[in-house]
Amino acid sequence: MRWFLISALALIGAVQGQDLQETCLSVDPEPYLMFGTKTAYAFSNRGVPVTRTHEVPGCQPVAIWLLNRHGSHNPEADEMSELQKLVDFKNNIIANYRNGNFRNTNQRMCAADVNLLERWEWNPRQNASYAGDLTTDGYMSTQQLAQAWRSKYPGLFSDNRYDYLFKYVNDQRSSTTFRAFTEGLFKDQAEGMDVPKESDEKLLRPYKFCPAWTRDVEENNETLSQLRTFESKQEYKEMISNISLRLGFTYDVNLETVLSMYDMCRYNKAWEIEKISPWCAVFTKEDIKRLEYSEDLETYYKYGYGTPMNQKIGCTAVKDMMDFFKIHLDQETPQQPKAMVHFTEAEMILLTLSALNGYRDIAPLTGDNYHTQTARERRWSSSNMSPFNANIAAVLYKCIPNNNLKIREPYQVLFLSNERTLYLEGCNVGLCDWSFVKTRLGLVADNCELGFCNGAKNINGFVGLTIALVAFCSKFIS
């Protein structure tokens, strides 16, 4: 009944909009739901082929290496104050609507959108005590993901605790994610299942221990230069003006407020994916696509190919994977553990994908190429790569060589990103010969030495030349 009433209000608003020239964005039957690193896994994972990618004819899985990001969470402590300001800002929007403060009725919010916004309230549980904690949806989606992996690989995700080694970062969110994941795997047996586990910060958050990266990348103004270029574009400024018009303001609201509304929109949609978020009704599809691209520019240079140091930092996970697989090679009997499972953050997911050379574009992303085919068809998409519950899997198979299936060696590695095939140059639809893995990724692992992290020299001082460098190197890729 509640949804019927909301739909009725929306339709009334839409009809009224024919006279008042209002925009009714909450009733879009096909909303754009890709929100960068705050995308719900269910949205990012839509359209996964129904074919059983993990089933490789003539091969049996012998080991799996899995890197997981946590599920959706409460706002971080440093986000709280800005997001709470939306309470007063919402009241201003409602006052604008009631008072008719609109410069241009073509942009006016419809009654249904305003009614949704008026009912929105700040959840008192969103406070410093629970900042960053996993949400109920984040907990459940983690359980479901564990069940999905067990369904795919029942021989690897067994009830034998010695078949596992779990590694996680030392914080509340990761420990809760670990608990949710093991509950998904073992269900009623989870509480009594004392699986091998350990905290490994330097493996799973190496950037936290790298002063050179902090100085030359994270805190370097040049890292965000392409993002600032994009934000300086006239079309980006017009986006802010149009949003301000839609909300009834006689001036352009500041960018920080726009980003707070966007954060609230995407948090809401991650927490309750079936519900309409009143803050999402603030944005058109094109607005959200621009904001998504903004974050892609940030992550591309902060954690991706835009800055050479990032691939050096991401090597720790690759080395861990290679060391793990070597245990299982050329063994007559199964080895333990069979499943190496890690819990980390979005940053490490992106850095690891960079070290693997996944999702690499021919040309770099820049603040000037939003409307180009390069940007429209970009592989580097934080919505696809690192949504909530993002994961990277590498599965080692023992095979009977078969030329018809292009399986030439007894050991193969299948790479998956968020349960989809991860395409790596030199592999057959995500399935790679061990000799290729040993040569290409073994080189990454063997040279995984982070001594430069404490060096005084700025080895990344050529950040300003990165675009030209990446463009040059990309000629030799794919």
Side-chain angles (χ1 to χ4, degrees):
M1 178 61 73
R2 181 183 176 192
W3 287 110
F4 175 80
L5 291 173
I6 291 175
S7 299
L9 285 170
L11 289 172
I12 292 169
V15 172
Q16 290 177 339
Q18 294 174 2
D19 297 324
L20 298 174
Q21 295 180 308
E22 296 177 327
T23 55
C24 229
L25 299 177
S26 63
V27 293
D28 188 338
E30 295 183 356
Y32 191 73
L33 299 170
M34 304 299 275
F35 301 116
T37 56
K38 289 185 174 65
T39 302
Y41 190 71
F43 300 148
S44 178
N45 211 32
R46 281 180 177 173
V48 173
V50 294
T51 54
R52 301 177 71 83
T53 306
H54 60 283
E55 293 183 355
V56 183
C59 301
Q60 289 296 321
V62 295
I64 183 169
W65 181 92
L66 186 59
L67 185 70
N68 297 280
R69 184 193 177 194
H70 51 76
S72 64
H73 57 80
N74 292 333
E76 306 284 6
D78 59 359
E79 296 177 308
M80 289 285 186
S81 60
E82 288 300 316
L83 292 177
Q84 283 181 301
K85 291 178 183 177
L86 292 178
V87 175
D88 291 334
F89 191 72
K90 178 201 81 167
N91 294 333
N92 292 336
I93 297 171
I94 303 303
N96 288 342
Y97 186 84
R98 289 175 177 165
N99 297 333
N101 294 345
F102 291 88
R103 288 180 285 165
N104 185 339
T105 55
N106 287 328
Q107 300 292 336
R108 175 181 171 128
M109 291 180 77
C110 73
D113 290 358
V114 174
N115 289 338
L116 280 173
L117 188 60
E118 191 168 20
R119 290 196 292 273
W120 177 83
E121 294 180 349
W122 180 262
N123 186 343
R125 188 176 173 82
Q126 308 292 348
N127 57 51
S129 299
Y130 299 100
D133 285 1
L134 224 59
T135 63
T136 300
D137 181 86
Y139 199 93
M140 292 175 62
S141 63
T142 302
Q143 291 177 317
Q144 291 163 1
L145 185 60
Q147 291 163 10
W149 284 117
R150 178 153 185 164
S151 175
K152 287 181 175 69
Y153 294 105
L156 301 181
F157 291 99
S158 70
D159 286 330
N160 184 341
R161 70 187 188 95
Y162 295 109
D163 281 341
Y164 299 90
L165 177 56
F166 291 90
K167 296 184 181 182
Y168 51 88
V169 297
N170 189 24
D171 61 21
Q172 179 67 29
R173 191 155 62 203
S174 281
S175 61
T176 305
T177 301
F178 164 74
R179 186 168 69 249
F181 195 93
T182 51
E183 284 181 7
L185 281 181
F186 307 123
K187 298 185 177 179
D188 295 340
Q189 302 176 40
E191 190 172 344
M193 185 75 73
D194 185 21
V195 292
K197 57 185 180 296
E198 59 188 51
S199 174
D200 196 334
E201 292 280 325
K202 290 188 176 181
L203 164 64
L204 298 171
R205 291 200 289 203
Y207 43 91
K208 296 284 187 182
F209 304 88
C210 190
W213 183 86
T214 301
R215 179 191 65 226
D216 298 336
V217 182
E218 185 178 37
E219 297 177 355
N220 187 342
N221 291 332
E222 279 294 308
T223 301
L224 300 183
S225 62
Q226 292 303 313
L227 170 60
R228 301 298 175 232
T229 295
F230 185 55
E231 291 174 344
S232 71
K233 297 294 181 183
Q234 183 61 31
E235 66 176 285
Y236 197 92
K237 295 176 181 178
E238 288 174 356
M239 176 189 75
I240 294 175
S241 294
N242 290 336
I243 291 169
S244 303
L245 284 168
R246 200 172 300 128
L247 302 181
F249 291 98
T250 58
Y251 56 87
D252 286 353
V253 301
N254 59 50
L255 177 58
E256 288 71 22
T257 301
V258 170
L259 295 179
S260 291
M261 291 188 289
Y262 177 58
D263 277 345
M264 203 69 252
C265 156
R266 51 193 193 153
Y267 269 133
N268 285 160
K269 288 302 295 181
W271 296 338
E272 298 177 294
I273 62 174
E274 298 297 332
K275 286 191 176 182
I276 298 170
S277 168
W279 291 108
C280 289
V282 169
F283 305 99
T284 65
K285 288 180 182 178
E286 192 56 43
D287 293 339
I288 293 176
K289 288 179 181 179
R290 285 193 178 92
L291 292 167
E292 179 193 25
Y293 189 69
S294 296
E295 187 171 12
D296 286 346
L297 285 172
E298 179 178 358
T299 57
Y300 183 79
Y301 290 93
K302 217 170 191 178
Y303 311 112
Y305 301 111
T307 306
M309 189 187 293
N310 293 332
Q311 287 180 276
K312 295 176 179 288
I313 293 287
C315 73
T316 59
V318 176
K319 184 178 187 307
D320 183 80
M321 179 194 72
M322 294 297 291
D323 289 345
F324 173 60
F325 282 159
K326 287 175 183 177
I327 298 171
H328 297 272
L329 290 169
D330 300 322
Q331 300 290 336
E332 293 184 4
T333 58
Q335 302 297 298
Q336 292 176 316
K338 295 179 181 179
M340 180 79 80
V341 185
H342 308 75
F343 302 105
T344 186
E345 304 169 326
E347 294 91 333
M348 193 61 194
I349 294 288
L350 294 170
L351 289 165
T352 302
L353 287 169
S354 297
L356 289 171
N357 212 39
Y359 295 100
R360 188 158 195 165
D361 294 287
I362 294 175
L365 303 186
T366 73
D368 293 311
N369 67 0
Y370 175 66
H371 290 289
T372 65
Q373 187 174 0
T374 296
R376 287 196 305 270
E377 299 177 357
R378 66 189 182 276
R379 298 172 186 172
W380 185 273
S381 164
S382 51
S383 300
N384 287 320
M385 298 165 68
S386 57
F388 289 124
N389 284 120
N391 52 84
I392 304 169
V395 188
L396 180 67
Y397 288 82
K398 190 171 185 179
C399 308
I400 299 173
N402 185 325
N403 289 331
N404 292 330
L405 298 173
K406 297 183 180 180
I407 296 174
R408 296 166 298 216
E409 299 181 8
Y411 286 98
Q412 302 283 319
V413 180
L414 176 67
F415 289 91
L416 301 168
S417 171
N418 301 327
E419 301 176 80
R420 300 172 187 261
T421 300
L422 176 59
Y423 293 91
L424 299 177
E425 185 68 20
C427 299
N428 179 28
V429 196
L431 191 66
C432 310
D433 293 336
W434 174 251
S435 63
F436 168 86
V437 175
K438 182 180 179 181
T439 300
R440 179 73 64 85
L441 299 183
L443 186 65
V444 175
D446 292 343
N447 290 280
C448 189
E449 199 281 314
L450 303 185
F452 69 87
C453 281
N454 296 311
K457 184 179 179 181
N458 182 349
I459 69 166
N460 196 38
F462 50 89
V463 171
L465 299 177
T466 293
I467 296 173
L469 176 63
V470 175
F472 174 77
C473 294
S474 64
K475 294 179 181 178
F476 302 97
I477 303 168
S478 61

